[in-house]
Structures are given as C-alpha cells and as structure tokens.
Amino acid sequence: MFDDDEVAVASDFAKIEALKRSISQRQAVYSYCAGYYSRRYHFMTILAATLAVAICILVSLWPFAEGGDIQVAGQIVVAFFSGLCTLMIACSALLGHDVKMAAFDAAAKQLESMGDRLQFLTGYRVGGPVLRCEIQRLISSIEDRMSDMNGHVPAVSGSLWMAGCKTEEQSLDFQKRQAAEKQA
C-alpha cells in the first residue's frame, strides 16, 4: 500500500486524531455502561443479602413456640421474605448485570490501551519520522481489535450511549477549563 520509507503526511495524522476521538468516545460509553450495570448488580446483591439476614433474624426472634395464629403468621412472613429473596437472586442472574459489567469494563480497558498506542505513536515518538506504513499497520491492528471486541460486548441502548457521551463531554469541558486556568 505505502512504501516502507514514506513519511506520514497531515491526512494520516488527521485519521489518527479521528480514531482517537472515536476510541475516546467509545471508551467513555463503555465505562459508563460498566458503572451502570455495576450499580444495578450491587444494588440487587446487597438487597438480597439484606433480606437473607432479615430472614435469619426473623426466624431466630419470632415466637414460634407459642403456637396458634402467631406461629402461622410467622411462617407466612418467613415464606414471603424467603420467596422475595429467591426472586431477587433469580432476577439478578437472569438479567446478567454482573456479566455485562465485566464485559463493558474489559472493553473499556482495551480501548484505553488502543488510545495509548495511538498517543505514543504520535506524541512520544523519539528518533525519526513517523512512517505511513507504521500508521497503517497500527490503524489496521486497532480496527481488528475493535471488530473482535464488538463480538464480546453487549449491545448498548440509545439512552445509555447518550448518557455515556454526555459524561465524556463533561469530562472534556472540565479538562479544557483546567487547561485554560493553567495558561492564565
């Protein structure tokens, strides 16, 4: 495609910048999704654990020995909370928030690595110009990795995508304000 000694031109660096922005946006969205599913998973897990502890306390403190209506009421209450706890555990497993959380977290870390590789190529290069063939190999490698990653990451709903993008925009605005304050 390119000669091995052909030096990169401005359009090559523009492609790299566009890819960096795309990677940064996707990383922000995936990090947001990982946090979203993490909060949901931990909420359901903590709630189920709290219900389980409440059942244990209820069973140990309920006056079952008295018999009669109070014993039946105790059995109904314990059965209800036990069923509710089982339902919460089943819902947590069916929704798969823990799996989604792990997949999005791993994908965000991979994207961070890809962004770092692009940054090192363009920002921290020591000795010699950047060659077009190097840029093309790196872009091809990153595109292959992103394609492979898409097969392992769950689909992102539109509302989650927009929330992740909004989070990234806020982060970029904050970084710009800090940079402006340092220059002033």
Side-chain angles (χ1 to χ4, degrees), residues 23 35 71 74 91 104 128 160:
I23 287 173
Q71 181 180 4
C91 285
F104 281 119
L160 277 179

Side-chain angles (χ1 to χ4, degrees), residues 11 13 50 107 145 156 172:
S11 64
F13 291 106
T50 303
R145 287 179 65 192
V156 180
L172 290 174

Side-chain angles (χ1 to χ4, degrees), residues 97-113:
H97 292 316
D98 55 336
V99 175
K100 291 177 185 176
M101 170 188 68
F104 281 119
D105 189 50
K109 288 177 183 173
Q110 287 180 4
L111 287 167
E112 182 179 11
S113 169

Side-chain angles (χ1 to χ4, degrees), residues 46-62:
I46 290 169
L47 195 55
T50 303
L51 274 173
V53 169
I55 292 167
C56 291
I57 292 171
L58 187 64
V59 166
S60 66
L61 296 179
W62 196 270

